Amino acid sequence: MRIWGPLVAICLGTFMLLVDVTIVLVALPAMSDSLGASLSQLQWVADGYALAVAAALLGAGMLADLHGRRRMYVGGLVVFALASVACALAPDMPVLIGARVVQGLGAAAMFTTTLSLISTLYTGRRLGLAFGAWAAVAASASALGPVLGGLLTQALDWRWIFFVNVPVTALALALTFRHIPRSAPSKRDAARRLDVPGVLLFALGAGGCVYAVTEAHTQGWASAATLVPLGVAIAAFVAFVRVQHRRTHPLLDLSLFRRPAFGAAMITIAVGEGAVYGILPYTSLWLQSVRHLSPIGAGLVVLPHAVAAALVAVVCGRWMPTPSPRLGACLGLLLAGLGVGAEGFLGPESGWPALVGGLALSGVGMGLVFQVAASLALGSAPPERAGMASGTYSTFEQLGYAFGVAAFGTLAVSAMTASLDGKVTDASGTAGTLSGGGADTLLSTAPDDLRPGLDHTLREAFATGHNTLALTAGALCLAGAALVVWLTRRPRVAVARTGAGGHEDRGHDDLCHDGPMS
């Protein structure tokens, strides 16, 4: 257990926090029926959590470097468990969304330490195996979330998707105290201080962008409700970059992005997570509200994705511990793009089998993406920046998901509105209800003689919306793969230059190294 004990403790926390990203997806219709919710509120149940994780990760990573990674991991587990109880007991949607945000803060404290703990506890071949196990857990957790959510929602109640976190947290805490040693900050880290302005500016920028995109489908892109938060977010990001350039100990060392391998890792995980998992909420709504599958059935449809992702991540961890960004990341995004794009050919009469092949292929791609991106992120950063690199990787992962859910929600409403235009009286209002899982509600209010025709129209509109999302997601993955190819292209051999002080200038070589750096 000296080898496996720490890894099990870390992977338990990773599995739990990533399962909670997607476990709510199949429970959204049940939440809507129980508490009453609009599409925007349902989006925030998923996005509020992911956004809180992304906004807090960089600050949590710095705190972990300052006060110890085990301490931060334990604190995150405790906050996560308490917030999970609050989610389970929520009497209405605002309380549920607020509790999900707090839950995301606890998850950020856990997530930011997982990769850095692995990188400090394991070396050599064992490090590759540990990354493979972690990547398998990360890949399967996101896809198994709907399966577990379906089982708990159908067998018990949607509130149990949160109650179940408590015993898992207790086990993770026990293993952490037993197997993971305390870590003391280095002298360099001890001299640092938390970059409070950086934390606040980054959170404001991320939150403003996601809020603007989420609300755009109801308020309109040209409305003040969309443009004001978007403008504030852009200003916050600009100020964040300026602050980071001036600080001696920045929240995010922007020089890391000069390393092609590090930039490739961030692009790979953000694009893969946003494209593949960003459309899952709408796939789940289609399966349940249009095809009338049970929560368990909807979750099981996604199972081939989870199995494929986990198997590929394990194989990669064993046979490719130091992957090439060009081969691993590009191939992963390519397969993920082809898979998710294959889900974009639904018709009004299509059933769940039309999705299985694409889900399995995208699972193969995401198994590669998780393993390769995590290894590159940690391998391309210096050891003293392990916490920062881990936090940045996790931030891009969660921001990718948050932006994916928000942007695809707006695109879904737009595509469904266009499909319904001229076929129903209020195309925009009908599209908003339909995209939120309200197909049965719309049918129940229609006269009996018009229901068969309306049912076909709604199924056609939802299929059109889902196809638009899937094909767009596939195109994004392919564009991401092309960008990684360009970013990691092999440079021409640079001639070392000697400066006036007699020091050899190797800056170009350092910035253009095609592979992991340490």
Side-chain angles (χ1 to χ4, degrees), residues 67-127:
H67 301 293
R69 290 162 190 162
R70 192 184 83 159
R71 182 179 297 177
M72 181 60 60
Y73 186 65
V74 168
L77 284 168
V78 172
V79 172
F80 184 87
L82 294 176
S84 296
V85 174
C87 289
L89 299 176
D92 52 42
M93 288 301 292
V95 173
L96 176 59
I97 293 170
R100 283 283 283 173
V101 170
V102 177
Q103 190 186 35
L105 297 178
M110 298 156 58
F111 206 9
T112 195
T113 55
T114 55
L115 288 177
S116 56
L117 282 171
I118 289 175
S119 68
T120 55
L121 292 171
Y122 299 93
T123 58
R125 190 71 176 174
R126 287 181 178 175
L127 179 60

Side-chain angles (χ1 to χ4, degrees), residues 69-252:
R69 290 162 190 162
R70 192 184 83 159
R71 182 179 297 177
M72 181 60 60
Y73 186 65
V74 168
L77 284 168
V78 172
V79 172
F80 184 87
L82 294 176
S84 296
V85 174
C87 289
L89 299 176
D92 52 42
M93 288 301 292
V95 173
L96 176 59
I97 293 170
R100 283 283 283 173
V101 170
V102 177
Q103 190 186 35
L105 297 178
M110 298 156 58
F111 206 9
T112 195
T113 55
T114 55
L115 288 177
S116 56
L117 282 171
I118 289 175
S119 68
T120 55
L121 292 171
Y122 299 93
T123 58
R125 190 71 176 174
R126 287 181 178 175
L127 179 60
L129 291 173
F131 271 135
W134 180 91
V137 168
S140 60
S142 296
L144 281 175
V147 180
L148 298 176
L151 288 170
L152 292 169
T153 300
Q154 188 168 329
L156 299 169
D157 182 76
W158 66 263
R159 297 179 186 274
W160 280 92
I161 67 177
F162 300 112
F163 277 132
V164 75
N165 291 333
V166 177
V168 180
T169 300
L171 178 59
L173 280 170
L175 291 172
T176 298
F177 284 125
R178 181 173 181 179
H179 295 291
I180 297 180
R182 290 188 179 93
S183 59
S186 64
K187 292 182 178 180
R188 177 176 178 175
D189 286 331
R192 299 167 66 192
R193 294 291 183 271
L194 179 63
D195 182 7
V196 176
V199 171
L200 295 177
L201 287 170
F202 186 84
L204 182 61
C209 278
V210 174
Y211 178 84
V213 176
T214 301
E215 295 299 317
H217 72 270
T218 55
Q219 304 293 336
W221 281 104
S223 68
T226 300
L227 294 178
V228 170
L230 189 60
V232 170
I234 293 173
F237 276 133
V238 171
F240 173 78
V241 171
R242 292 175 64 88
V243 168
Q244 298 310 292
H245 274 302
R246 291 200 302 263
R247 293 189 71 88
T248 305
H249 303 294
L251 179 69
L252 175 59

